[in-house]
Amino acid sequence: MPVDAAQLRSALAGRLPAVDPAWRAAVEAVPRELFFDGAFYRARQGRRGTEWEPVVQALIGDDEWLALVYEDSTWVTQIDGADADWNAGVVTTGDATSSSTLPSLVVRTLEAAAIQDGDRVLEIGTGTGYSTALLSHRLGEKHVTSVEVDRALAARAAAHLAAAGYVPRLIVDDGLDWRDEETEFDRLVATCSVRSIPTAWLWQVRAGGTIAVTLSGWMMASGLLRLTVGEDGGAQGGFTGEPVSYMLARPHGRPPRPTFFRHEGEIRAGRVNPVLLDDRAAHLVAQLAAPSAELLGSGDEVTLLDVATGSLAWTEAAASGDGWSVHQHGPLRLWDQVETALAGWQKAGSPPLSAFGVTVTPDMEQSVWMGDPDGPSWQLPA
Ligand SMILES: C[S@@+](CC[C@H](N)C(=O)[O-])C[C@H]1O[C@@H](n2cnc3c(N)ncnc32)[C@H](O)[C@@H]1O
């Protein structure tokens, strides 16, 4: 029997974790297959690391295609900002620059924004247009504005949305900077992550309105944040604690990794176990302590590489078999920075991500705090 898209849609909506029934109804109503142009990329591990294999409806047939479309999976639609020649079937490498995010994550992000019927919502990162369609279904297209930085993607999203019967307001611009002087929004939802909160967002959302965004960085630690905008023009809020990641907004992306060599450098015994970085809160703390560093490796053997200065720190199991050694070279002592912050986190009882929050002052100083707004804190990069 041929696969029925409506049945698959309904099954997907039924599998979503406990969510507002209005979002479940939206997932049940919006045909996700209209948002792909008949193809996407699937990740696989190959000789060159992560490789992207095209999955093309015309090649695999409608049944398999629809079954994949209605998986609760993220399907990548663009690599390195380039248009794909799907039919060439070429497996490629590079960074994912757009996708249709897994529906359960989209819905959790929309829920984090505490959207109510009648709200005017600004979305940053239209992508395929799927989440814009969920918003349009729930709120009515007149209440939805979505900004996409990539012109070709925005044009395709407009066509997808029209095919699904929605005509929200679509803007092609840098959503970290775009402003509409005429409109105050009740909610802002970002489906790309940021290293710090863009000033424009605080001007664009009314006092008492909310911003749902994933705070991330160059170590790829991330957490979903719900901020409430204050009367004074600042904002404050906490992390939901859920395991959430979105691709970084393009202006906040990590610069290309420089060629690096691990030297012996200064060697000392480590005081904090590098395995701690597997914990999501510890990972965030490390990222806050060394915001321009990238984290490579895992377990006993991690490397921190500062893309701004070329400074390097790396750890390895100690030759004695007891503990681990730390090597550091370059202008910064990256492991010292990370270790001090992690020791502070441990001293505070190793609180989970949900114990952290963000304050943005009216003059746009931004910090992440641990425990409560007066607790230990780290400045976010400007
Ligand atoms: C994960 S995708 C969005 C998924 C999308 N909401 C969907 O349901 O298909 C992230 C999108 O954010 C866009 N983006 C990145 N930086 C941006 C920026 N500064 N302003 C607006 N859009 C941006 C990317 O081009 C990409 O299309």
Side-chain angles (χ1 to χ4, degrees), residues 35 74 77-78 97-101 106 123-132 146-150 153 171 173-177 191-193 246-252:
F35 291 82
T74 292
T77 50
Q78 192 193 53
T97 44
S98 194
S99 64
S100 171
T101 308
V106 171
E123 179 191 44
I124 309 298
T126 318
T128 65
Y130 178 70
S131 51
T132 323
S146 185
V147 188
E148 170 58 54
V149 71
D150 184 304
L153 292 175
I171 310 285
D173 210 328
D174 176 2
L176 308 194
D177 216 24
T191 59
C192 48
S193 61
Y246 277 104
M247 56 189 64
L248 272 164
R250 295 191 190 185
H252 286 190

Side-chain angles (χ1 to χ4, degrees), residues 22-23 25-27 29-30 35 106 110 115 117-121 123 126 129-146 157-158 160-162 164-170:
W23 291 125
V27 170
V30 174
F35 291 82
V106 171
L110 299 176
I115 293 168
D117 292 343
D119 281 347
R120 291 150 303 168
V121 175
E123 179 191 44
T126 318
Y130 178 70
S131 51
T132 323
L134 297 181
L135 283 163
S136 301
H137 181 84
R138 159 109 195 242
L139 300 171
E141 61 200 16
K142 294 218 163 8
H143 286 230
V144 180
T145 299
S146 185
H160 301 156
L161 282 156
Y166 305 109
V167 191
R169 181 181 179 205
L170 300 179

Side-chain angles (χ1 to χ4, degrees), residues 137-340:
H137 181 84
R138 159 109 195 242
L139 300 171
E141 61 200 16
K142 294 218 163 8
H143 286 230
V144 180
T145 299
S146 185
V147 188
E148 170 58 54
V149 71
D150 184 304
R151 185 166 294 280
L153 292 175
R156 282 201 286 276
H160 301 156
L161 282 156
Y166 305 109
V167 191
R169 181 181 179 205
L170 300 179
I171 310 285
V172 184
D173 210 328
D174 176 2
L176 308 194
D177 216 24
W178 177 80
R179 275 184 71 188
D180 172 3
E181 306 283 350
E182 315 269 286
T183 315
E184 267 198 331
F185 293 92
D186 300 297
R187 319 282 166 200
L188 184 150
V189 179
T191 59
C192 48
S193 61
V194 291
R195 294 177 80 209
S196 58
I197 308 302
T199 309
W201 293 5
L202 300 180
W203 292 333
Q204 200 64 87
V205 176
R206 69 164 167 84
T210 48
I211 296 174
V213 61
T214 299
L215 190 79
S216 185
W218 294 350
M219 284 195 199
M220 297 303 162
S222 65
L224 179 59
L225 187 62
R226 175 158 91 199
L227 293 171
T228 303
V229 177
E231 292 289 345
D232 60 2
Q236 195 166 69
F239 288 94
T240 67
E242 294 161 281
V244 164
S245 79
Y246 277 104
M247 56 189 64
L248 272 164
R250 295 191 190 185
H252 286 190
R254 195 168 54 195
R257 183 182 305 153
T259 309
F260 67 95
F261 301 97
R262 298 194 323 182
H263 305 298
E264 286 291 289
E266 279 176 24
I267 310 175
R268 66 169 174 82
R271 290 186 291 274
V272 165
N273 190 338
V275 170
L276 265 190
L277 296 174
D278 291 346
D279 179 281
R280 287 187 304 115
H283 192 187
L284 178 72
V285 166
Q287 178 171 275
L288 293 166
S292 55
E294 182 176 359
L295 171 67
L296 303 163
S298 60
D300 276 339
E301 292 193 22
V302 301
T303 299
L304 298 174
L305 168 63
D306 187 83
V307 292
T309 62
S311 306
L312 210 80
W314 52 285
T315 63
E316 62 180 349
S320 63
D322 188 18
W324 44 92
S325 303
V326 182
H327 302 251
Q328 302 190 84
H329 50 91
L332 299 178
R333 291 291 168 265
L334 294 171
W335 192 255
D336 292 2
Q337 290 171 220
V338 164
E339 202 171 51
T340 304

Side-chain angles (χ1 to χ4, degrees), residues 65-85:
W65 168 254
L66 283 175
L68 289 170
V69 162
Y70 284 103
E71 273 186 11
D72 188 25
S73 297
T74 292
W75 296 123
V76 168
T77 50
Q78 192 193 53
I79 303 292
D80 288 341
D83 270 354
D85 178 3

